[in-house]
Amino acid sequence: MTGPTLTLCRTCRDADAALPDLLAEAVAAAGLSAKIQQVDCMSGCKRPQTLSVRQSGKTAYLFGEITVQDLPDILTFLHLFGASADGNLADARPLGALRMKALARIPANQEH
């Protein structure tokens, strides 16, 4: 299974243009495998800058108000997400402030 795709909104009000590169560097330094991409608007405008985390067969997440200060919590999330077969986390407390920035949790498609 391939790693997750992390998508940052690049058009959010006050978007940090350096955040995608800093996120990619942090992910690589942590020895994690993830694709980092940017898109125009993800409709998280009331809580910019938004970040989505998606991986085939796993629950997807959307976070808002992401800043450079969230990088350590994002890495913790990615470790827990990677260890979970379905992307669901049994306990969000290790995510620190990131757990309060969750906007949505989208269940994976159910195969029939």
Side-chain angles (χ1 to χ4, degrees), residues 8-68:
L8 282 162
C9 182
R10 71 172 142 238
T11 56
C12 282
R13 177 184 75 245
D14 302 323
D16 182 348
L19 189 56
D21 289 339
L22 295 171
L23 178 59
E25 290 169 12
V27 167
L32 297 167
S33 175
K35 177 182 176 184
I36 313 293
Q37 65 183 16
Q38 296 181 72
V39 297
D40 292 340
C41 193
M42 290 197 296
S43 295
C45 304
K46 289 187 179 187
R47 294 185 58 196
Q49 184 166 14
T50 55
L51 167 72
S52 70
V53 180
R54 297 179 304 150
Q55 186 171 340
S56 180
K58 291 190 174 191
T59 295
Y61 291 83
L62 181 66
F63 298 97
E65 300 173 298
I66 299 301
T67 67
V68 171

Side-chain angles (χ1 to χ4, degrees), residues 84-104:
S84 171
D86 62 4
N88 289 308
L89 308 183
D91 184 2
R93 288 177 291 183
L95 303 181
L98 185 63
R99 71 188 175 116
M100 305 312 255
K101 295 182 175 193
L103 301 177

